[in-house]
Amino acid sequence: MYTEVTGGVTAARGFKAAGVRCGIKQDQTKKDLAIVFSEVPSIAAATFTTSAAAAPPVHVNKDILKNSAIVRGIVVNSGNANSCTGERGKEDARTMIRTATELLGIPADQFFASSTGIIGEYLPMDKIVPGIAEAVSQLSKDNHASAAEAIMTTDTVPKENAITFTLDDTEVSIGGMAKGSGMIAPNMATMLSYVTTDADITQPLLQKALRSAVDKSFNCISVDGDTSTNDMVGIFANGRAGNKKIVSEQQPQYARFADALEYLLRSLARKIVIDGEGATKLIEIQVHGAEDEESARKACKAIGNSNLFKTAVHGEDPNWGRIVVALGYSGAAFDPGKLDIYIGDVPVYQVNYKIDFNFDDARRALAGDTVTVTVNLHKGNARAAFWTCDLTQEYIVINAHYHT
Amino acid sequence: MYTEVTGGVTAARGFKAAGVRCGIKQDQTKKDLAIVFSEVPSIAAATFTTSAAAAPPVHVNKDILKNSAIVRGIVVNSGNANSCTGERGKEDARTMIRTATELLGIPADQFFASSTGIIGEYLPMDKIVPGIAEAVSQLSKDNHASAAEAIMTTDTVPKENAITFTLDDTEVSIGGMAKGSGMIAPNMATMLSYVTTDADITQPLLQKALRSAVDKSFNCISVDGDTSTNDMVGIFANGRAGNKKIVSEQQPQYARFADALEYLLRSLARKIVIDGEGATKLIEIQVHGAEDEESARKACKAIGNSNLFKTAVHGEDPNWGRIVVALGYSGAAFDPGKLDIYIGDVPVYQVNYKIDFNFDDARRALAGDTVTVTVNLHKGNARAAFWTCDLTQEYIVINAHYHT
């Protein structure tokens, strides 16, 4: 379907990246500053946290996106979220952007800034400013992996992926990197993902495709249900592929691009869940037969955010009762007598309260690294999917005994 | 303010109770069937689970409440929730009621039935019917504690309380019992509470006072955020105190009664939270300065249901960042620069991003059995309170390794 390729955030033509250590993180071996840059003018689209306590860089990026038709990349630091830092935080985010754009020789309103890490401390600008200079000097096609590494906080592995596909006869690439699932760590907020593409597409359609892909990927995962103050997904498109420009939602090329973007973001989202704190299993929840998509999503989320369900999966217990309970309070319409629940391929609860399932088969379906739960609500034709991880003692250990 | 007295669910005049073992639970030492009964005609009010998968007894009780002006008590079994059992489950609930009312010599539409325990199994009626006969034979003023014991599932202690107060010059009592906070155990659903009073009050006002008190007590607690299929709070009022009947919301006696009921339900709700699975600390969350009560409640719930916050309290980490994050996605209006957060009496975050708090003082405020978090949103005058417990490794152990 799509060809996965190496190259991450620089797989698309015309993009460079770098990741360096500037000294924000105490661990001397860890990178903490990344830049992604399009050599030629690019447009951008983005989705931001809905938190009422959105961090200063989020506000600054929103202003940039509103005021400039061209946005050519982003500078990101990890180790400090620049959150709950007020006006000074905004000024620091603007200084990051100004420093980068001056060195890159582009206008100061054509760049984003992001931060992730501890909340409530001012950025160490004396380290960040020279760090930006070093990162700019190292920008290259080859440094995508360093960039993915430099945006990590408590992530245990860097997360990147890229795909190629054709629009008409033109080869197009989309690549990206991501870090830690929302609130995977104490005061280490933030799900961040930056994506680049050489597709030629209008800004409103890029925004539309991103919104839709985010809703079906990053908005369908959860490690512990929290939403951070710094969450952001940004995409940059520079048109270097030379495809016939996508200008209408009605074009089949738009659908193809949007679908490819969704595929890429889902692959990054899964990497985040698998790397969830203390997680030992990836759980995929499929709800179908819902009245509408909203209901399907509500049902998915209620199951995926239930501590009781997530601990049952950890214990490899085919506890369908906890799924019924979560559905019950999800807000999705269904009749408890007209419901099918499968763990893997094993029916554990079926219409007319049929529950004499094969316990051993169900246990086996829970034994692997990936567990699938499928629910048919028998109310309509809408569906949704959701990814989460099991809840383990290790999660408690990590989060209870990390101190500010 | 109110005098706490012994007597639990039979503290009010004219009520009797009993708790017996009929053999539903495998453990031979555990009681599993309770009856509460008013010797004279009483009215009832109740609130029920909002789950779309509400269990059969819930539907049966709703019908009783709709059709009969008089409801004289309840028969409850533990060990089996009679949930996801369809028409047969309803028939079994009606049989429980019919058996009890025939033995008590009252009409069959004047009684409730409740069940709590495992989901998805039919009730063992061959054990329950004789159990009801035995419980009826043991009904007495003295057996309130046995009744409180017989409704337990994974609760480690029975929960009961009673208060007396005066309306005009008449002494009035309200007493009750409760079990396990919603979904404290795998397939062991259900928060149940039954309350009795000898106050004389109209049914609509009794329902109104109960609704309001439940919203500020049982609806303001959480162990893990789940809502069960069987949740129910019921109150029976038999007028035996002989107070001047409460007939209008405008009477000061109504306000006094409603406040007393809220006090009693809050005391029972706290007992549930303290007994939460694996809990080591009771957490009280106070949000004030909210735009409206709805916002205050949303803010409370977001903090109280955050795994990250609850693990931080367990680790005695004054991690105010997790509180800001939870507020951020709560839906409550606030400005992150105009916010005060206290742990105990220690300010940890104050207006204008002031965060240079005394770490040792904050640690000490987290060290006890009870932790209080107070938030001022600086947006208005509304307030709410919420009670929860810390999230511990023990919770995971209990819930992952209990098998269906």
Side-chain angles (χ1 to χ4, degrees):
Chain A
M1 190 173 165
Y2 300 107
T3 310
E4 296 206 5
V5 295
T6 57
V9 79
T10 61
R13 294 173 192 84
F15 288 95
K16 290 178 174 178
V20 301
R21 164 163 176 78
C22 73
I24 305 168
K25 291 179 181 164
Q26 289 188 353
D27 184 333
Q28 304 283 337
T29 67
K30 301 240 166 116
K31 296 190 174 65
D32 48 21
L33 195 130
I35 291 180
V36 176
F37 177 58
S38 174
E39 295 169 303
V40 296
S42 57
I43 58 166
T47 65
F48 300 99
T49 181
T50 54
S51 173
V58 168
H59 293 292
V60 169
N61 291 341
K62 282 185 176 174
D63 286 345
I64 298 275
L65 196 58
K66 201 160 45 186
N67 296 325
S68 178
I70 295 172
V71 185
R72 293 182 59 175
I74 188 151
V75 50
V76 194
N77 75 275
S78 60
N80 182 319
N82 191 12
S83 179
C84 292
T85 45
E87 274 310 313
R88 180 162 155 193
K90 277 193 191 173
E91 200 35 64
D92 287 344
R94 287 189 208 103
T95 301
M96 284 173 70
I97 290 174
R98 200 172 46 246
T99 307
T101 52
E102 277 173 9
L103 290 161
L104 293 166
I106 61 172
D109 62 353
Q110 297 189 352
F111 226 64
F112 287 150
S114 267
S115 297
T116 176
I118 200 151
I119 289 179
E121 288 185 8
Y122 295 120
L123 289 178
M125 295 307 291
D126 57 325
K127 294 172 179 168
I128 288 178
V129 169
I132 292 173
E134 199 194 331
V136 167
S137 75
Q138 292 190 22
L139 281 173
S140 94
K141 199 85 190 158
D142 296 333
N143 284 342
H144 56 89
S146 313
E149 214 184 304
I151 64 172
M152 290 163 65
T153 52
T154 53
D155 307 63
T156 65
V157 289
K159 296 159 188 81
E160 50 174 7
N161 197 14
I163 55 171
T164 61
F165 58 103
T166 54
L167 287 181
D168 304 315
D169 286 334
T170 311
E171 188 189 74
V172 172
S173 299
I174 308 179
M177 59 184 188
K179 75 153 291 283
S181 80
M183 298 312 299
I184 53 161
N187 282 358
M188 293 290 178
T190 308
M191 197 290 299
L192 294 180
S193 183
Y194 307 106
V195 179
T196 60
T197 180
D198 44 24
D200 200 4
I201 182 171
T202 66
Q203 200 280 337
L205 291 180
L206 185 67
Q207 182 68 44
K208 194 178 179 89
L210 181 70
R211 172 83 267 162
S212 162
V214 167
D215 278 344
K216 294 189 174 168
S217 57
F218 298 118
N219 283 349
C220 288
I221 61 171
S222 137
V223 171
D224 53 24
D226 275 19
T227 303
S228 105
T229 57
N230 293 53
D231 293 342
M232 172 179 176
V233 181
I235 182 168
F236 307 93
N238 65 10
R240 282 287 298 276
N243 60 297
K244 193 182 151 205
K245 188 168 188 168
I246 303 170
V247 295
S248 155
E249 215 183 317
Q250 309 309 321
Q251 286 174 260
Q253 292 85 347
Y254 171 77
R256 190 149 167 75
F257 174 79
D259 192 67
L261 182 59
E262 184 181 312
Y263 176 90
L264 182 84
L265 296 198
R266 283 192 166 192
S267 76
L268 291 171
R270 286 171 76 107
K271 285 177 201 278
I272 287 174
V273 175
I274 294 168
D275 199 24
E277 281 175 347
T280 67
K281 290 175 192 294
L282 172 71
I283 308 172
E284 173 164 323
I285 300 158
Q286 294 279 357
V287 169
H288 61 114
E291 206 170 42
D292 50 40
E293 236 181 83
E294 163 93 2
S295 296
R297 261 200 289 264
K298 279 183 183 169
C300 276
K301 278 193 186 181
I303 300 169
N305 284 325
S306 160
N307 283 353
L308 281 168
F309 167 71
K310 291 165 65 169
T311 46
V313 171
H314 180 55
E316 301 183 355
D317 176 18
N319 198 321
W320 59 266
R322 294 184 185 176
I323 298 172
V324 174
V325 167
L327 289 170
Y329 62 76
S330 68
F334 73 99
D335 171 347
K338 288 206 187 97
L339 193 65
D340 295 320
I341 301 174
Y342 292 78
I343 295 176
D345 294 331
V346 184
V348 292
Y349 183 91
Q350 290 178 279
V351 290
N352 292 324
Y353 304 101
K354 185 171 173 293
I355 52 174
D356 51 342
F357 65 97
N358 186 313
F359 189 83
D360 291 335
D361 285 354
R363 283 295 295 266
R364 267 190 291 277
L366 286 161
D369 289 348
T370 303
V371 169
T372 310
V373 169
T374 310
V375 174
N376 186 344
L377 295 175
H378 289 284
K379 275 287 177 183
N381 296 311
R383 49 182 295 133
F386 196 87
W387 293 269
T388 187
C389 53
D390 56 342
L391 180 59
T392 68
Q393 284 126 284
E394 188 59 18
Y395 173 89
I396 311 286
V397 172
I398 295 170
N399 284 296
H401 303 299
Y402 171 104
H403 288 288
T404 40
Chain B
M1 191 169 165
Y2 300 108
T3 310
E4 297 204 5
V5 295
T6 56
V9 78
T10 60
R13 295 173 191 84
F15 288 96
K16 291 178 172 177
V20 302
R21 165 164 175 78
C22 72
I24 305 169
K25 291 180 183 165
Q26 288 187 356
D27 185 333
Q28 305 283 336
T29 66
K30 302 240 166 115
K31 295 190 173 67
D32 48 22
L33 196 129
I35 291 180
V36 176
F37 176 59
S38 174
E39 297 169 302
V40 295
S42 58
I43 57 166
T47 64
F48 299 99
T49 181
T50 54
S51 173
V58 168
H59 293 291
V60 169
N61 291 341
K62 281 184 176 175
D63 286 345
I64 298 275
L65 196 58
K66 202 159 45 184
N67 296 325
S68 178
I70 294 173
V71 184
R72 292 182 60 176
I74 188 152
V75 50
V76 194
N77 75 274
S78 59
N80 182 320
N82 191 11
S83 179
C84 292
T85 45
E87 275 309 314
R88 179 161 157 194
K90 276 194 193 174
E91 198 37 62
D92 287 345
R94 286 189 208 104
T95 301
M96 284 173 70
I97 290 174
R98 200 172 47 244
T99 306
T101 52
E102 277 173 7
L103 290 161
L104 293 165
I106 61 172
D109 62 353
Q110 298 189 352
F111 227 62
F112 288 151
S114 266
S115 297
T116 176
I118 200 151
I119 289 179
E121 290 185 7
Y122 295 120
L123 288 178
M125 295 306 291
D126 57 324
K127 293 173 180 168
I128 289 178
V129 169
I132 292 173
E134 199 194 332
V136 167
S137 76
Q138 292 190 21
L139 281 173
S140 94
K141 198 86 190 157
D142 295 334
N143 285 341
H144 55 91
S146 311
E149 214 185 303
I151 64 172
M152 290 164 63
T153 53
T154 53
D155 306 62
T156 65
V157 289
K159 297 160 188 77
E160 51 175 6
N161 198 15
I163 54 171
T164 60
F165 58 102
T166 55
L167 288 181
D168 304 315
D169 285 335
T170 312
E171 188 188 75
V172 172
S173 299
I174 307 179
M177 60 184 187
K179 74 155 291 285
S181 79
M183 297 314 299
I184 53 160
N187 282 357
M188 294 290 177
T190 308
M191 197 289 300
L192 295 179
S193 183
Y194 307 106
V195 179
T196 60
T197 180
D198 45 25
D200 200 4
I201 182 171
T202 66
Q203 201 281 337
L205 290 179
L206 186 66
Q207 182 68 45
K208 194 179 178 87
L210 181 70
R211 172 83 267 162
S212 163
V214 167
D215 277 344
K216 293 188 175 170
S217 57
F218 298 118
N219 284 347
C220 288
I221 60 170
S222 138
V223 171
D224 54 25
D226 276 18
T227 303
S228 104
T229 56
N230 294 53
D231 293 342
M232 172 179 177
V233 181
I235 182 169
F236 306 93
N238 66 10
R240 283 286 298 275
N243 60 296
K244 192 182 152 207
K245 188 168 187 167
I246 302 171
V247 294
S248 155
E249 216 183 317
Q250 308 309 321
Q251 286 175 259
Q253 292 84 346
Y254 170 77
R256 191 149 166 76
F257 174 79
D259 193 67
L261 183 59
E262 183 180 312
Y263 176 90
L264 182 84
L265 296 198
R266 283 192 165 192
S267 77
L268 291 171
R270 286 171 75 107
K271 286 177 200 280
I272 287 175
V273 175
I274 293 168
D275 198 24
E277 281 175 349
T280 67
K281 288 172 192 296
L282 172 71
I283 307 172
E284 173 164 323
I285 299 158
Q286 293 279 357
V287 169
H288 60 114
E291 207 169 42
D292 50 40
E293 236 180 85
E294 163 93 2
S295 297
R297 263 201 288 263
K298 280 183 183 170
C300 277
K301 278 193 186 181
I303 300 169
N305 284 325
S306 160
N307 283 353
L308 281 168
F309 167 72
K310 289 165 67 169
T311 46
V313 171
H314 180 56
E316 301 183 355
D317 176 17
N319 198 321
W320 59 267
R322 294 184 185 176
I323 298 171
V324 174
V325 166
L327 290 170
Y329 63 76
S330 68
F334 73 99
D335 170 347
K338 287 204 187 99
L339 193 65
D340 295 320
I341 301 174
Y342 292 79
I343 295 177
D345 294 330
V346 184
V348 292
Y349 182 91
Q350 290 179 278
V351 289
N352 292 321
Y353 305 101
K354 186 170 173 293
I355 52 176
D356 51 341
F357 65 98
N358 186 314
F359 188 84
D360 292 334
D361 286 353
R363 283 296 294 266
R364 267 190 292 275
L366 286 161
D369 288 349
T370 302
V371 169
T372 310
V373 169
T374 310
V375 174
N376 186 345
L377 294 175
H378 289 283
K379 276 285 177 184
N381 296 312
R383 50 182 295 135
F386 197 88
W387 293 269
T388 187
C389 53
D390 56 342
L391 180 59
T392 68
Q393 284 126 284
E394 188 60 19
Y395 173 89
I396 311 286
V397 173
I398 295 170
N399 284 296
H401 303 298
Y402 171 103
H403 288 288
T404 39

